[in-house]
Amino acid sequence: VTTADSGGLTYGARACEIRDLIERSKRILAISHANPDADAICSLLTFGAAFSRSAREITLAIGPGSVPATLGFLPGLTRIRVLSGLAQRDYDLVVYLDCADRERVDGANGVSDSGVAPHVPVLNIDHHITNKLFGTTNLVDPEAAATCEMLALLLDDLSIEVSPDLATVIMAGIQGDTLGLRTPSTTSRTLRVSADLLAAGADLHTIVDYMFRLRPFTTLKLWGLAFSNARFEGGLVWAEITPQMLEESGASSSEGEGIVNFLAGTTGARVAALLYEEPEGWRVSLRSLDEDVDVADLAALYGGGGHSRASGLRLRGASDVRDSFLADITRRISPRPAGINAE
Ligand SMILES: [Mn+2]
């Protein structure tokens, strides 16, 4: 099994090979990455629900981290353990789900730290284009918007029945990675799979409410305080979260995580910045919707890093450091006046 044909509605013979591998195994360890997102958690739950049989034991585990609170509505969450806390078992198959490489899950020493012998076969099911094909069996489909989209196709290939609860789990994974079917990774196949899951009884309404709508009132207060002090000048829209705002709203600083993405949608903004005030200075998140602006490059100027559309950095010092940073970013992203330096 190698990289799947792109965009097909079936994995064909590869699905059968994977089924045979699972059928031969008595004790399976299924794992996903540290700081798991919806696709990671839902891939695990889907695998566990679809392939558990009385004669087979499947352990579900994640790397360091916890299940996000927004996924609390999912059935079966109590099955998921943290990898480092597992007792030693004689696993005869390890399944990696939604993992581009092994390192993010189990570190340099591999799962042998978790009681898995080095010769145990590894099944790698993932949709990241950067996947290192580290498994003894690999099903890697970069055309899939989520690992859960792949699992939906796999279960369909194997004629495994999808209950309404399982349909909800698979749909939640797809919704998570596509931000509600809104990312460029969303394909017509993603929509077809989603339609089939809805027909199978997926509770889309609850998924959307929990993952995208419901938030504590403290979050509302914090966002209001941050937005009311936002500034927009020269293509840079920015806001700050101060300890005073956290105290006044009763929110924790993690409740500000969505603010910078919201700022980035400001019409005419080339870069959005959110500054979290800390004792030593500021933690800064940068976003860009503009193809011309690479915020990873901007962050690198200040010792930070990330992706071209999303990056971060830290500033050390007082308000003069912050002000000169904001002025520098504004200057760097301002389009050059037409007619100057033209050749
Ligand atoms: Mn994913």
Side-chain angles (χ1 to χ4, degrees), residues 99-103 124 128 130-135 138:
C99 297
D101 57 58
R102 315 174 62 132
E103 286 71 26
N124 165 24
H128 293 94
T130 52
N131 189 287
K132 291 182 175 157
L133 304 176
F134 53 84
N138 301 290

Side-chain angles (χ1 to χ4, degrees), residues 183-267:
T183 57
S185 61
T186 305
T187 66
S188 59
R189 189 180 74 179
T190 316
L191 297 178
R192 281 193 203 102
V193 167
S194 298
D196 288 346
L197 292 168
L198 200 56
D203 186 355
L204 181 60
H205 190 74
T206 297
I207 292 169
V208 170
D209 275 357
Y210 273 81
M211 292 176 66
F212 302 118
R213 298 188 68 185
L214 289 170
R215 59 181 66 84
F217 187 65
T218 50
T219 304
L220 206 75
K221 298 294 287 180
L222 178 65
W223 286 42
L225 292 168
F227 288 156
S228 65
N229 290 291
R231 305 277 292 274
F232 184 23
E233 206 172 357
L236 175 67
V237 59
W238 66 275
E240 193 171 12
I241 290 181
T242 64
Q244 292 79 13
M245 289 177 185
L246 295 176
E247 195 179 325
E248 188 179 337
S249 62
S252 65
S253 68
S254 68
E255 293 178 58
E257 291 302 331
I259 289 176
V260 70
N261 290 323
F262 197 95
L263 290 173
T266 307
T267 305

Side-chain angles (χ1 to χ4, degrees), residues 6-28:
S6 59
L9 277 167
T10 174
Y11 293 126
R14 279 170 275 227
C16 299
E17 191 183 334
I18 285 169
R19 178 195 56 206
D20 293 347
L21 182 62
I22 293 167
E23 291 297 329
R24 281 200 302 272
S25 307
K26 287 270 189 294
R27 284 207 185 92
I28 300 175

Side-chain angles (χ1 to χ4, degrees), residues 37-51 60 67 70-80 97-98 146-152 155 161-178 193-194 196-198 200-208 211-212:
D37 56 14
D39 193 30
I41 294 297
C42 294
S43 298
L44 282 175
L45 294 177
T46 299
F47 187 88
F51 294 107
L60 307 179
V67 178
T70 51
L71 300 179
F73 67 99
L74 290 170
L77 282 177
T78 52
R79 281 192 72 177
I80 297 179
L97 296 161
D98 199 43
T147 299
C148 278
E149 179 180 327
M150 298 178 64
L151 291 174
L155 299 191
E161 198 198 342
V162 174
S163 69
D165 268 1
L166 182 53
T168 296
V169 168
I170 302 172
M171 177 84 95
I174 294 172
Q175 289 279 317
D177 264 17
T178 61
V193 167
S194 298
D196 288 346
L197 292 168
L198 200 56
D203 186 355
L204 181 60
H205 190 74
T206 297
I207 292 169
V208 170
M211 292 176 66
F212 302 118

